[in-house]
């Protein structure tokens, strides 16, 4: 779908002219006021749509009215939602061209473009019949530059969603490494098994050893001209999580190709940094492997040594993400960055606690956590802070090693958090658990079933101060 900008959309010969309506107010289109509002009592509640034929009275063949609810409650997040709804309706009626003549009292370029691109998203690569698409839309009353920003964010989101939706047999650790190496404007270092061993990443290697797919440690780097801030983003990159020897039941395993959603998020962000050229240094780090049962798998009771020398007794091989992240965190903390953020589909417990509505966030710096949560509010992603009380570490205590990789069933997301904290040193750190938000089993809000690209919008806005 192409997205254009023009302020003269009233005269465009498009299939559909899309106008907005606030509850209890008239619009600037007489046809709408007469037919939709007066005759049919269209209320204009948020997300409602009303379609009317124009029979040659204006250049567009049809008018689509979208309800925006009450004017004083309307915000950018609502705007993204109503544009999404409108484009979905356009697809339904097979429209190919549309013009949005919205008058909302603010520049809606970024959220409008994002809403349209969310509606345009389909994962139909493997389908014989492709999804219906709108070819071209034009926005009026927006800044060209903000549409551009929206489009780039939309591209990052699509990149991440496509990758997380791919079957595990496609999106292997080697594939992620290939993709990382081909990114424009990024320098990438790939470490293979022997080098991973040499770096002392005993926890990551143990998880990887049960699979025929070789592990890849991926380090991407973007460097701006006058670097003002250095940040490392770590994405959990378990390309398939069977649970290992402590194998998952079938229903839980079904979606475990999404266990690299954190990695997909980081790759999506890295893929668009060149378009923004920011004056920052960004490291993208992924310890990519599969968690599989097999003759060479790591076993419950094994003792692993992570890159920082700490030892871990394996209590459950399905708590693999924190093991791979442990070594990635130690690596990231050695880079001399100001902030480290890890993003991971880490715990079922986080999903039980927060559902699909919000991701969990934890860390060692309240201000950083607050800023991420606030950024999320602006872009429409929710984060809920969970505590890292030292009490959570009690159940991780081991008789024979420095810690176990799992403990009590209760407070599981926080237990994973305090485990990760053991591998963080001298840096501001935030941990984001997207187990509930990364992948939807049914359509919700502006998302179809499957990968949502959780974290992409927030972290992109956070690092770029958008
Ligand atoms: N990848 C899973 C967490 C997960 C669960 C992500 C559901 C998305 C949806 C993780 O590796 C895992 O298996 N965690 C275990 C930990 C347990 C063994 C302590 C869990 O949450 O059940
Ligand atoms: Mg697991
Ligand atoms: Zn996992």
């Amino acid at each position: 779908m192409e997205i254009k900008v023009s302020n003269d959309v009233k005269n465009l010969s498009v299939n559909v002219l899309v106008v907005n309506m606030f509850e209890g107010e008239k619009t600037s289109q007489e046809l709408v006021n007469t037919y939709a509002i007066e005759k049919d009592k269209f209320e204009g509640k948020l997300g409602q749509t009303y379609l009317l034929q124009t029979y040659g009275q204006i250049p567009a063949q049809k008018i689509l009215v979208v309800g925006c609810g009450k004017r004083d409650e309307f915000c950018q997040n609502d705007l993204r939602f109503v544009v999404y709804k409108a484009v979905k309706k356009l697809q339904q009626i097979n429209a190919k061209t549309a013009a949005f003549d919205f008058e909302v009292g603010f520049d809606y370029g970024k959220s409008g473009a994002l809403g349209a691109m969310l509606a345009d998203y389909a994962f139909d690569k493997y389908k014989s019949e492709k999804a219906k698409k709108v070819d071209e839309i034009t926005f009026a009353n927006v800044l060209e530059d903000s549409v551009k920003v929206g489009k780039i964010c939309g591209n990052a989101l699509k990149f991440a969603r496509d990758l997380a939706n791919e079957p595990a047999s496609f999106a292997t650790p080697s594939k992620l490494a290939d993709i990382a190496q081909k990114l424009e404007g990024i320098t990438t270092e790939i470490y293979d098994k022997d080098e991973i061993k040499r770096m002392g990443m005993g926890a990551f290697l143990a998880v990887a050893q049960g699979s025929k797919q070789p592990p890849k440690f991926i380090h991407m780097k973007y460097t701006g001209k006058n670097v003002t801030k250095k940040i490392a983003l770590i994405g959990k990159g378990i390309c398939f999580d069977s649970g290992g020897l402590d194998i998952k039941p079938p229903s839980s395993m079904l979606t475990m190709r999404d266990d690299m959603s954190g990695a997909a998020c980081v790759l999506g962000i890295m893929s668009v940094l060149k378009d923004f050229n920011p004056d920052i240094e960004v490291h993208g780090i992924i310890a990519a492997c599969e968690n599989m049962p097999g003759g060479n798998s790591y076993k419950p009771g094994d003792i692993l040594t992570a890159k920082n020398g700490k030892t871990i007794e394996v209590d459950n091989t399905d708590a693999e993400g924190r093991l791979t992240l442990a070594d990635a965190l130690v690596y990231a903390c050695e880079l001399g960055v100001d902030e480290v953020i890890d993003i991971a589909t880490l715990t079922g417990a986080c999903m039980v606690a927060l559902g699909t509505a919000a991701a969990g966030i934890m860390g060692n710096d309240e201000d950083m956590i607050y800023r991420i949560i606030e950024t999320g509010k602006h872009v429409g992603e929710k984060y809920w802070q969970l505590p890292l009380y030292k009490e959570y570490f009690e159940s991780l205590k081991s008789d024979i090693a420095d810690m176990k990789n799992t403990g009590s069933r209760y407070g599981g997301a926080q237990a994973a958090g305090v485990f990760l904290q053991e591998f963080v040193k001298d840096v501001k750190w935030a941990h984001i658990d997207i187990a509930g938000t990364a992948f939807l089993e049914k359509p919700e809000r502006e998302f179809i079933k499957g990968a949502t690209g959780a974290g992409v919008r927030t972290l992109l806005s956070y690092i770029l101060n958008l």
Side-chain angles (χ1 to χ4, degrees), residues 252-265:
S252 307
M253 206 191 293
L254 203 55
T255 57
M256 279 302 131
R257 67 175 187 284
D258 88 319
D259 216 16
M260 37 63 78
S261 296
C265 168

Side-chain angles (χ1 to χ4, degrees), residues 46-65:
L46 190 72
Q48 280 182 338
T49 57
Y50 180 99
L51 190 68
L52 76 163
Q53 299 284 339
T54 60
Y55 301 110
Q57 298 183 68
I58 62 166
Q61 291 157 8
K62 291 178 177 128
I63 296 180
L64 177 66
V65 194

Side-chain angles (χ1 to χ4, degrees), residues 235-255:
K236 173 173 171 181
I238 298 295
C239 293
F240 190 74
D241 183 10
S242 69
L245 289 177
D246 284 335
I247 196 158
K248 287 182 185 295
S251 61
S252 307
M253 206 191 293
L254 203 55
T255 57

Side-chain angles (χ1 to χ4, degrees), residues 132-246:
K132 283 189 194 170
K133 297 254 172 160
V134 179
D135 292 336
E136 188 183 296
I137 62 171
T138 307
F139 286 123
N141 311 321
V142 292
L143 296 174
E144 193 102 38
D145 274 351
S146 50
V147 169
K148 201 173 142 199
V149 169
K151 276 195 213 174
I152 302 172
C153 292
N155 286 335
L157 202 53
K158 178 175 161 48
F159 189 108
R161 295 175 83 184
D162 277 345
L163 202 52
N165 274 325
E166 284 285 359
S169 50
F170 175 93
T172 59
S174 305
K175 186 76 186 183
L176 298 193
D178 279 352
I179 292 172
Q181 268 176 319
K182 288 189 183 120
L183 294 178
E184 272 174 62
I186 304 288
T187 53
T188 300
E189 196 79 57
I190 305 293
Y191 300 96
D192 289 319
K193 190 177 154 201
D194 289 343
E195 292 152 298
I196 297 169
K197 196 179 246 164
R198 214 172 306 132
M199 290 193 289
M201 298 185 171
F204 172 36
L205 264 188
V207 175
Q209 74 193 32
S211 172
K212 290 233 163 118
Q213 291 291 339
K216 301 282 170 186
F217 189 87
I218 304 168
H219 180 184
M220 297 163 273
K221 185 177 176 188
Y222 164 87
T223 315
K225 278 208 185 68
N226 311 299
V227 174
T228 54
K229 186 179 179 179
K230 298 182 181 186
I231 191 160
L233 302 176
I234 304 175
K236 173 173 171 181
I238 298 295
C239 293
F240 190 74
D241 183 10
S242 69
L245 289 177
D246 284 335

Side-chain angles (χ1 to χ4, degrees), residues 236 241 248 256 259 316 318 320 345-348 351 406 435:
K236 173 173 171 181
D241 183 10
K248 287 182 185 295
M256 279 302 131
D259 216 16
N316 189 315
D318 199 10
E320 83 300 334
T345 45
L346 204 61
T347 67
M351 197 174 184
T406 65

Side-chain angles (χ1 to χ4, degrees), residues 298-319:
Y298 78 132
K299 306 168 189 76
D302 281 358
I303 297 177
L304 320 175
T305 307
K307 185 170 162 53
N308 64 352
K310 292 196 182 180
T311 57
I312 307 157
E313 177 187 357
V314 178
D315 187 66
N316 189 315
T317 64
D318 199 10

